Amino acid sequence: MKSKITSGFWYDRLKVNAQRAIFHQWEQLEASGCIENFRIAAGDVDGFREGWFFADSDSHKWLDAASRIYASFPTPELASVMDAYISLIARAQQPDGYLFTYNQIHFPNDRWKNLQIEHELYCHGHLIEAGVSHHQATSRAEALTIAIRAADRIVEDFSGKGAQFTPGHEEIEIALLRLYQVTEHKPYLDMAQQFIEQRGRNPFFALSIIQQNTSVDSRGKFVRQKKQEYLTAHPTFIPFQVPPGNAARKPKNTTLRWYASALSGKYFQQHAPVRKQTVPVGHSVRFAYLETAIAMLARANGDNTLFPALEQAWDRMVSRRMYVTGGIGSLPGMEGFGNDYELDPEFAYAETCAALASMFWNWEMAQVTHEAKYSDLFEWQLYNAAAVGMGLDGTTYFYNNPLTCKGGVTRKPWYAVPCCPSNLSRTWADLGKYIYSSDKCDVFIHQYITSELDNEIVQLENDRTASISLTMETDLPWGRTATLKVYPYMISPFSETAPVEFTLHLRVPSWADLAYSVNNEEEKVTMKFSGYDDPNEPLPYDPTAGGFDPRSSEWVSIKRFWNAGDVVHLHFVYTPIFRHASPRVRGHQGKIALTNGPFVYCLESVDNPDVDIFSARIGNKYDLEYFPFPPLGDHAHAILGYTPEGKQLTFIPYHLWGNRGESTMTVWVNE
């Protein structure tokens, strides 16, 4: 899909991503020793390896992000850093394709050790994805060659192996499937399928986890001893000190629940074969990566038996295990899912990477099913649960994202586990690919972002082929309008600018009604269910646990002969909504979450110095005022409300909180 973002809200964020975030991340990777680890492994320098055993993944993911950024914002500076890193990992990679600095430096005779915990396959997965992205951005082969060598090593070492040889942190499956899309080399598809199909089939999983955990502890003790010896021998060496992690309030019995989840296999999604995994459980990032990979596999091999479990798990997540922001993962100790309706806003972990992983999954589901609800949830998570992860300056980040913060959660320049910054950067950089898609003679508009689609090939009836180009201009997410211009071109049986018959599908968001017209013809209005704030309107489904429901999204389908320059005008009709959590969610009775358009809003203490934001009550919803808010950007808007006593309450978009120093915050407000 040849599409690019050209201006507006997301273009501004993409510029920050390209000009500041990606270089800040590289500086932090250098400072923390992550890049130096490869120099040590390559024999370029002497030193001691720093970071977690899975630290390699962070720099590989940086290359993935940098490559995607380079495709839209090419600069000599970024190309130079990428080239240097690719050259470095080429030297560090062993001749047979293996690259994992933890073992190469500390345990050179060990490979594929403790697969559930130490993440060798996860690191190789991000290495492979980086190689694919670099090739797609530059058409060069250096990084792709490294990726292919790594993938061939994995195929050689794992093909035909059983359930005990599956990864604990899913990612390699996505990487192999992406590599297969580029190379069409079937062993990569087969390897991904094996990793997926073998999950949950080890009857002795609990025993293997105990054994692996013992091995990990023993190896860690050895490394710590070696580090102490190194520090003694090098008294001037000062290890990099990362800031302490965000505070995370934890419910009782957190540790006990983690052990129970790990031993049962649920934490690793190893408790059942994938066709029987119909409930989202365990570590939320791993879960969503697995679901993404399963959907990708089903698209690649046409195995429709994989979809019922995916659909059931998605529905269970949305209806019972997802916050109003779209965040997933309610247990800090597990970084994962709790029980149904267990959505305490202060305990909420809602890791940034989990929101991104869910977006990847939603995109794959949208491509297969063409159901609007998946694109709708993608949008909601994009603007809320994911966008909150990166500060406005591009150099500060959130790891966990509670919905109530009474202190301790602040944006930081880096983390001991810095998986989120580069994951955000690679997703932002590739955002253009999530706006449009086509299937035969159907073109879908998934997201409303100012952008261009260039020469999308569509297959028409009677073996005819056409090229479709589109431009979209919109003032969303702050405004209410969008304009689409259509430029079709017939390719076969003849080449000419001529009317082309195809169907344009416009997504009606769950948070709006849509009025539209074509070429200024009589306007049509699509009214749909969006009556969250109307207690008298019957609900088409049971209320979701968190209060947001993407299932009411739908398509407006316009089938016609399109001429070059045809214009579609759209107007989105929406007002602020008071959303309520399900009565089954403890502690939410009498509380509302304020949303407007695609944004969840919150109260932040810096804007409400004279109000206790945790006890304040919001008055009449019809007294709300929507107004520009320059402190959080030239185009940002806030909402002004009032307590019954007449005190002002200033609500800002949730994704913008924490940009002005340490503060307190709440999404849920007393009604």
Side-chain angles (χ1 to χ4, degrees), residues 232-270:
T232 300
H234 301 80
T236 60
F237 177 77
I238 302 176
F240 178 76
Q241 298 294 323
V242 298
N246 278 343
R249 285 203 60 217
K250 300 177 182 179
K252 296 179 180 178
N253 301 323
T254 295
T255 302
L256 183 61
R257 292 179 71 176
W258 183 90
Y259 277 113
S261 181
L263 291 173
S264 69
K266 290 182 177 180
Y267 176 80
F268 309 91
Q269 296 78 46
Q270 294 276 26

Side-chain angles (χ1 to χ4, degrees), residues 118-236:
E118 289 185 349
H119 302 349
E120 280 169 274
L121 287 170
Y122 174 81
C123 290
H124 280 81
H126 279 303
L127 172 66
I128 292 167
E129 283 213 75
V132 171
S133 293
H134 186 267
H135 174 69
Q136 291 174 330
T138 66
S139 299
R140 290 165 49 185
E142 299 95 325
L144 184 64
T145 299
I146 295 170
I148 288 173
R149 284 204 298 261
D152 289 345
R153 177 76 273 139
I154 291 168
V155 170
E156 178 71 21
D157 289 353
F158 286 92
S159 289
K161 295 287 185 71
Q164 65 270 36
F165 295 96
T166 53
H169 197 313
E170 301 88 334
E171 151 62 25
I172 185 62
E173 304 89 343
I174 295 173
L176 288 169
L177 289 164
R178 285 193 66 200
L179 187 59
Y180 169 70
Q181 291 169 356
V182 170
T183 65
E184 297 184 348
H185 187 51
K186 193 169 182 296
Y188 303 148
L189 171 65
D190 295 339
M191 191 72 256
Q193 181 173 355
Q194 178 185 305
F195 281 140
I196 290 169
E197 293 285 8
Q198 288 292 336
R199 298 195 77 81
R201 298 181 184 274
N202 182 0
F204 306 107
F205 185 81
L207 178 61
S208 68
I209 276 296
I210 293 172
Q211 292 172 338
Q212 289 188 36
N213 196 59
T214 301
S215 173
V216 169
D217 288 346
S218 175
R219 283 154 59 88
K221 183 178 180 180
F222 172 81
V223 171
R224 289 190 294 274
Q225 180 180 339
K226 287 293 184 181
K227 183 171 185 177
Q228 189 57 51
E229 293 172 0
Y230 182 86
L231 293 175
T232 300
H234 301 80
T236 60

Side-chain angles (χ1 to χ4, degrees), residues 223-522:
V223 171
R224 289 190 294 274
Q225 180 180 339
K226 287 293 184 181
K227 183 171 185 177
Q228 189 57 51
E229 293 172 0
Y230 182 86
L231 293 175
T232 300
H234 301 80
T236 60
F237 177 77
I238 302 176
F240 178 76
Q241 298 294 323
V242 298
N246 278 343
R249 285 203 60 217
K250 300 177 182 179
K252 296 179 180 178
N253 301 323
T254 295
T255 302
L256 183 61
R257 292 179 71 176
W258 183 90
Y259 277 113
S261 181
L263 291 173
S264 69
K266 290 182 177 180
Y267 176 80
F268 309 91
Q269 296 78 46
Q270 294 276 26
H271 58 293
V274 293
R275 288 173 185 78
K276 295 183 179 180
Q277 293 194 30
T278 59
V279 178
V281 294
H283 191 278
S284 53
V285 180
R286 303 178 199 218
F287 161 80
Y289 277 173
L290 174 61
E291 303 300 275
T292 301
I294 295 171
M296 291 176 69
L297 176 64
R299 287 182 65 192
N301 67 8
D303 186 354
N304 292 330
T305 67
L306 291 166
F307 282 112
L310 289 172
E311 292 171 328
Q312 290 178 61
W314 186 90
D315 194 70
R316 183 72 166 261
M317 179 183 77
V318 167
S319 62
R320 304 185 190 183
R321 300 191 174 193
M322 188 178 78
Y323 289 95
V324 69
T325 57
I328 55 174
S330 58
L331 295 181
M334 201 188 313
E335 296 187 341
F337 294 98
N339 298 319
D340 287 349
Y341 304 103
E342 186 177 8
L343 295 173
D344 187 292
E346 194 171 4
F347 292 158
Y349 205 68
E351 184 183 337
T352 302
C353 279
L356 298 171
S358 180
M359 288 162 57
F360 305 154
W361 176 27
N362 277 285
W363 174 250
E364 294 298 327
M365 296 297 286
Q367 299 316 292
V368 175
T369 67
H370 298 310
E371 293 189 44
K373 62 184 180 181
Y374 298 115
S375 301
D376 198 80
L377 180 54
F378 181 102
E379 175 188 57
W380 196 260
Q381 292 177 322
L382 173 67
Y383 283 105
N384 298 292
V388 69
M390 184 185 293
L392 288 172
D393 60 3
T395 65
T396 54
Y397 306 91
F398 278 143
Y399 188 99
N400 54 303
N401 297 290
L403 278 70
T404 293
C405 170
K406 296 181 179 178
V409 179
T410 57
R411 297 187 183 273
K412 293 183 171 62
W414 210 238
Y415 290 91
V417 181
C419 55
C420 299
S422 52
N423 211 3
L424 279 162
S425 283
R426 69 176 184 152
T427 306
W428 288 178
D430 228 12
L431 191 57
K433 85 171 190 180
Y434 299 109
I435 300 174
Y436 310 94
S437 72
S438 67
D439 184 6
K440 297 181 180 178
C441 56
D442 295 281
V443 177
F444 297 87
I445 311 298
H446 297 273
Q447 307 300 330
Y448 296 100
I449 296 172
T450 299
S451 55
E452 296 176 354
L453 173 65
D454 186 31
N455 293 324
E456 177 69 7
I457 305 301
V458 296
Q459 300 299 320
L460 308 176
E461 297 175 354
N462 301 322
D463 296 324
R464 295 176 301 149
T465 305
S467 168
I468 307 297
S469 295
L470 295 169
T471 65
M472 174 164 33
E473 294 185 3
T474 178
D475 57 7
L476 289 173
W478 306 114
R480 300 172 183 274
T481 63
T483 301
L484 290 165
K485 293 183 180 179
V486 183
Y487 301 93
Y489 186 84
M490 186 68 71
I491 298 175
S492 66
F494 41 79
S495 296
E496 67 172 358
T497 301
V500 174
E501 186 181 29
F502 68 92
T503 303
L504 184 65
H505 302 272
L506 308 171
R507 182 176 58 84
V508 184
S510 61
W511 44 267
D513 296 321
L514 177 65
Y516 71 94
S517 65
V518 181
N519 295 335
N520 294 314
E521 297 171 0
E522 184 177 351

